[in-house]
Amino acid sequence: MFSFNAISVRGYGEAEFWMASLKVSAVLVFVVVGILTVTGATGGEFIGGKNWHVEGAPFKDHIVGVLKACIVAAFSMQGTEIVGITVGECANPRREVPRVIRSVFWRILFFYIASILIIGLVIPNSNPNLVSASGASDIAISPFTLVIKAAGADWAAHVMNAVVLVTVLSAGNSGLYACTRVLWVLANEGKAPRLLRRVTKYGIPLWALGFTSLCSAIIFCISLAGNQSVYVFLINLSGLTGMGFWLGISLCHWRFRRSYIAQGYSLDDLPYVASFFPFGPVYACTLLVIIIIGQGYGTIWPKFDAVSFVSTYLAIPLFLVFWLTWKLTKRTKWIKLMDIDLTSGTLLEMEQNGDIEVFAQEEGGWRKYTKWFHRKSD
């Protein structure tokens, strides 16, 4: 993964393309096999929705179970924000970035929702393999493997081992790319050591990449210690952190749109305009706050578990320490809507400075049919 990212952006992109292709193919096969299994077409009994009527289904442990699952779901699903990070290294961001963003909804619907729906239909929550796992790395009891085995394919564990390995490598490849670029930006803004600003002649922030890789390797080794307790702690930390920065993204989008209109700009000038404003960011912020606060409810009631409570909520005080330290030392202030800088570092500025080539913006069918969502608001 280090080599892919160190060679060039193209190396990262090529590696990610082939690994993503394998993941997509595996999910397609999984969904088809799952549908055949649910309907009994593979030779077994007709399952239908009967597993949603066993004790505790479909929402085991009710709201507590849902909130506990949200942290793992956040850990698994976060990563779509990497689209925004790639803007500076995209040949035609005015065309490609909106196109990718518009496809995210359908990817989530199919690759996440469809897969979880199949798993929920085929495997009852009383299945002992879901609760007797000896470790997170035991692919033999993966829900995906259980579904394929239910279809009569006993060789599934070996195939899933390969797919999971590629999936982990793909996630690590994307995470390494994103963390490296974020760290490089922080260094350029004076929020990280200046040494990390250095780049190669190909534009690769090699020092930031090396630092990120070193930290990742250390954390990986630490996660192997103990009875998966460190691993669970890292999942909680990563999941809660992910929800935290999505909360920040939602808030920034809400303020950006208000500031953009307040300063007299037109939404028609933007390459991409998110639908359902202001409901979208308000809904996202509300839901994220509820999940962040409530996902550790099970550590408090019916019995307080100090270790689980700390591992669940540790990301919050860590964020507050960093944020308050910066705020107090730099004496930063809340910026009014009319004073927000909407021009520096933007796509338009990069095009005007010749940093990226200017391409004509395409008027696709999606944009034409959703323009009524993009009305100007005060």
Side-chain angles (χ1 to χ4, degrees), residues 62-81:
H62 308 292
I63 186 63
V64 176
V66 172
L67 291 173
K68 288 169 63 178
C70 283
I71 193 71
V72 180
F75 169 79
S76 302
M77 295 182 67
Q78 64 192 17
T80 54
E81 68 281 352

Side-chain angles (χ1 to χ4, degrees), residues 138-161:
D138 190 357
I139 189 61
I141 47 89
S142 164
F144 289 89
T145 301
L146 293 177
V147 170
I148 297 180
K149 281 190 172 183
D154 294 333
W155 43 264
H158 301 293
V159 176
M160 290 306 299
N161 268 323

Side-chain angles (χ1 to χ4, degrees), residues 247-291:
L247 178 61
I249 291 173
S250 301
L251 287 171
C252 288
H253 176 238
W254 180 67
R255 295 207 75 215
F256 163 75
R257 283 283 291 267
R258 293 183 61 203
S259 175
Y260 197 78
I261 297 300
Q263 295 186 28
Y265 294 100
S266 172
L267 295 180
D268 294 331
D269 297 331
L270 295 174
Y272 174 79
V273 181
S275 305
F276 306 109
F277 184 86
F279 172 76
V282 172
Y283 170 77
C285 288
T286 303
L287 190 62
L288 286 167
V289 169
I290 292 174
I291 295 175

Side-chain angles (χ1 to χ4, degrees), residues 155-196:
W155 43 264
H158 301 293
V159 176
M160 290 306 299
N161 268 323
V163 173
V164 168
L165 176 60
V166 172
T167 301
V168 171
L169 291 175
S170 176
N173 192 38
S174 299
L176 194 60
Y177 171 86
C179 290
T180 299
R181 269 58 183 182
V182 170
L183 190 60
W184 178 80
V185 171
L186 291 175
N188 278 274
E189 293 179 347
K191 300 173 183 176
R194 297 171 60 88
L195 178 67
L196 301 176

